[in-house]
């Protein structure tokens, strides 16, 4: 066995056993799948480009996995969580597929068929802002999948149940219409931040099913900026996301400012990223120091890791979208990024994150 072949074999084994922090950034088209006679058949397939994002060689391709090309189309992957993609297949039937899970081989792949989506009055189920799962596998008996559609509708389902059906919630507060949903392991609820970060809503399949528990966003201490900088930020597109640090039992609110660069084909670029830490039940304070932590933002559910455990920059935010990927150092207010067409912009957390808790006693300053 050659050194290269042995290295690829060992890397594949490590993915199956440890599942490191991974970065998915695109798909290379490689033809069609074949039937038993070697004849091409629909759909077209591509080679998913996955890298081990731990350590200095984080841009080295370490795993090749074939997926359907329609997974990365505009109506392909509508959202992702823990390597599972929510997609519409076979004429619009919703499915969960583990095509983005680097620990699963092509032959061992799995897909879970879900009931047809039910559109509530004055809602839509064609455009999804995000999805989140309450556990790392939809095969878990208690796992709940949340799908947030653009507009008022939030839909929940237990994928492992035999007679599964959607629980559809119509959100009356318009400030949540464009929000992204995440799952808080600490609070055991799905959570969303309002569009301007003014309050937080929590939903579950229990007491907060119809009417969410809301927290007022108060005591916000923003940085001192020149008037010109405030005016520039006011002209930006803002997005607010929640992310939980499972190792420190903390919740953060991330506010992203993106602006259009008229000198580069009008592409959208990250201008500034602010972080707020939840200091009490109703107090969120601006911070430039999240300690030995780093936050990962992509088209998948966001997550937070202990930086020193994964050889990443502490007190930083890693981000990727369809046109830009980079890192924002909070303390230095410094951004480093590059631009390209990223057809599959996802960060996938390691298994250690999925099982993490705050038992290690570490707390960020």
């Amino acid at each position: 066995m050659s050194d290269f072949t042995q290295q690829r074999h060992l890397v594949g084994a490590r993915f199956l056993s440890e599942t490191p922090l991974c970065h998915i950034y695109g798909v290379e088209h490689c033809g069609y799948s074949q039937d038993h006679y070697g004849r091409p058949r629909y759909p077209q397939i591509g080679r998913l480009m996955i890298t081990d994002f731990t350590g200095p060689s984080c841009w080295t391709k370490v795993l090749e996995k074939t997926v359907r090309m329609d997974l990365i189309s505009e109506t392909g992957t509508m959202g992702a969580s823990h390597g599972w993609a929510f997609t519409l297949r076979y004429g619009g039937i919703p499915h969960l597929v583990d095509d983005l899970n680097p620990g699963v081989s092509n032959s061992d792949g799995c897909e879970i068929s879900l009931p047809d989506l039910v559109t509530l009055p004055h809602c839509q189920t064609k455009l999804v802002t995000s999805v989140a799962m309450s556990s790392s596998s939809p095969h878990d008996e208690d796992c709940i999948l949340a799908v947030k559609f653009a507009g008022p509708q939030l839909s929940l389902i237990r994928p492992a149940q035999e007679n599964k059906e959607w629980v559809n919630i119509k959100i009356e507060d318009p400030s949540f219409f464009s929000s992204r949903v995440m799952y808080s392991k600490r609070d055991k609820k799905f959570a969303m931040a309002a569009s301007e970060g003014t309050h937080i809503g929590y939903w579950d399949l229990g007491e907060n099913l119809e009417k969410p528990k809301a927290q007022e966003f108060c005591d916000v201490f923003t940085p001192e900026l020149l008037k010109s900088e405030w005016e520039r930020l006011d002209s930006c597109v803002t997005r607010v996301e929640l992310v939980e640090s499972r190792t420190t039992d903390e919740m953060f609110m991330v506010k992203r400012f993106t602006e259009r660069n008229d000198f580069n084909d009008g592409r959208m670029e990250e201008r500034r990223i602010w972080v707020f830490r939840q200091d009490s039940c109703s107090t969120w304070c601006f911070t430039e120091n999240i300690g030995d932590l780093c936050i990962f933002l992509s088209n998948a559910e966001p997550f937070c890791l202990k930086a020193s455990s994964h050889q990443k920059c502490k007190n930083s935010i890693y981000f990727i979208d369809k046109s830009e990927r980079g890192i924002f150092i909070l303390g230095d207010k410094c951004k480093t990024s590059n631009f390209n067409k990223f057809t599959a912009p996802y960060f996938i957390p390691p298994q250690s994150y999925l099982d993490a808790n705050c038992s290690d006693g570490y707390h960020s300053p």
Side-chain angles (χ1 to χ4, degrees):
M1 182 183 295
S2 68
D3 291 341
F4 176 76
T5 304
Q6 184 177 20
Q7 182 182 18
R8 290 297 302 277
H9 174 76
L10 292 175
V11 167
R14 189 161 70 87
F15 265 101
L16 292 175
S17 61
E18 296 180 14
T19 317
L21 167 63
C22 288
H23 167 233
I24 303 175
Y25 60 94
V27 178
E28 294 176 341
H29 181 259
C30 56
Y32 292 83
S33 57
Q34 296 181 343
D35 61 18
H36 295 294
Y37 301 99
R39 295 174 301 192
R41 64 181 182 182
Y42 182 82
Q44 298 183 62
I45 58 175
R47 186 175 296 109
L48 195 65
M49 293 179 283
I50 306 177
T51 64
D52 182 340
F53 202 62
T54 302
S57 59
C58 57
W59 302 120
T60 302
K61 188 190 302 184
V62 296
L63 180 67
E64 293 182 358
K65 180 178 179 179
T66 56
V67 297
R68 294 167 48 134
M69 287 297 294
D70 58 9
L71 188 74
I72 61 167
S73 66
E74 287 297 325
T75 57
T77 299
M78 304 176 75
S81 177
H82 304 307
W84 287 84
F86 177 69
T87 183
L88 299 180
R89 288 188 171 174
Y90 314 116
I93 301 174
H95 280 72
L96 273 177
V97 296
D98 60 357
D99 288 353
L100 300 180
N101 188 340
V104 177
S105 66
N106 300 326
S107 58
D108 295 332
C110 176
E111 63 178 54
I112 300 175
S113 178
L114 301 173
D116 289 338
L117 296 170
V118 177
T119 305
L120 295 175
H122 308 294
C123 298
Q124 64 85 33
T125 53
K126 300 297 183 182
L127 180 62
V128 173
T129 64
S130 61
V131 303
M133 292 198 307
S134 62
S135 64
S136 60
S137 172
H139 296 293
D140 295 342
E141 186 70 23
D142 295 329
C143 178
I144 302 173
L145 167 70
V147 182
K148 176 61 178 65
F149 300 95
Q153 185 164 332
L154 172 68
S155 296
L156 308 177
I157 194 171
R158 295 185 187 272
Q161 287 190 347
E162 184 176 353
N163 298 317
K164 47 185 172 284
E165 61 181 25
W166 293 101
V167 175
N168 300 301
I169 303 167
K170 187 173 182 179
I171 302 171
E172 300 298 334
D173 188 344
S175 61
F176 289 112
F177 287 1
S178 61
S179 298
R180 290 174 57 86
V181 65
M182 57 84 67
Y183 181 75
S184 169
K185 185 178 180 181
R186 182 193 66 181
D187 299 322
K188 295 181 173 56
K189 298 180 187 297
F190 292 97
M192 286 188 288
S195 56
E196 296 298 324
T198 53
H199 50 290
I200 311 295
Y202 293 92
W203 288 264
D204 57 22
L205 284 177
E207 58 180 319
N208 304 118
L209 178 58
E210 296 297 334
K211 187 176 181 180
K213 173 186 175 184
Q215 289 188 348
E216 291 301 320
F217 178 57
C218 58
D219 296 331
V220 181
F221 299 97
T222 54
E224 294 183 3
L225 300 175
L226 296 174
K227 181 181 178 180
S228 59
E229 182 64 11
W230 275 116
E231 291 175 347
R232 186 167 185 178
L233 292 181
D234 286 340
S235 67
C236 291
V237 175
T238 59
R239 289 176 291 171
V240 182
E241 299 186 56
L242 296 174
V243 61
E244 184 176 67
S245 169
R246 297 185 175 180
T247 57
T248 62
D249 202 26
E250 293 177 290
M251 183 76 80
F252 298 101
M253 180 186 295
V254 181
K255 190 168 186 178
R256 307 171 66 178
F257 300 86
T258 58
E259 64 181 355
R260 189 173 302 280
N261 190 327
D262 295 329
F263 298 99
N264 287 288
D265 300 325
R267 69 189 180 199
M268 298 299 293
E269 299 182 11
E270 292 281 349
R271 170 65 183 175
R272 187 67 59 87
I273 300 179
W274 287 350
V275 176
F276 300 86
R277 176 188 279 112
Q278 186 181 30
D279 287 347
S280 67
C281 185
S282 59
T283 303
W284 296 76
C285 297
F286 174 79
T287 181
E288 292 183 325
N289 185 9
I290 60 174
D292 185 23
L293 294 175
C294 49
I295 294 172
F296 294 85
L297 305 176
S298 68
N299 282 16
E301 187 177 0
F303 58 93
C304 182
L305 296 177
K306 190 174 180 180
S308 58
S309 298
H310 300 277
Q311 301 182 52
K312 310 313 294 178
C313 294
K314 66 179 183 179
N315 199 39
S316 61
I317 297 177
Y318 291 84
F319 63 90
I320 183 171
D321 54 35
K322 291 186 177 181
S323 61
E324 182 182 12
R325 70 180 175 194
I327 175 175
F328 191 89
I329 309 298
L330 293 176
D332 299 335
K333 303 182 183 65
C334 174
K335 182 191 79 168
T336 302
S337 67
N338 67 304
F339 299 88
N340 207 325
K341 184 178 181 181
F342 303 110
T343 52
Y346 301 99
F347 285 120
I348 308 298
Q351 191 65 40
S352 59
Y353 161 79
L354 305 180
D355 300 328
N357 54 51
C358 57
S359 61
D360 60 2
Y362 167 81
H363 290 277
S364 63

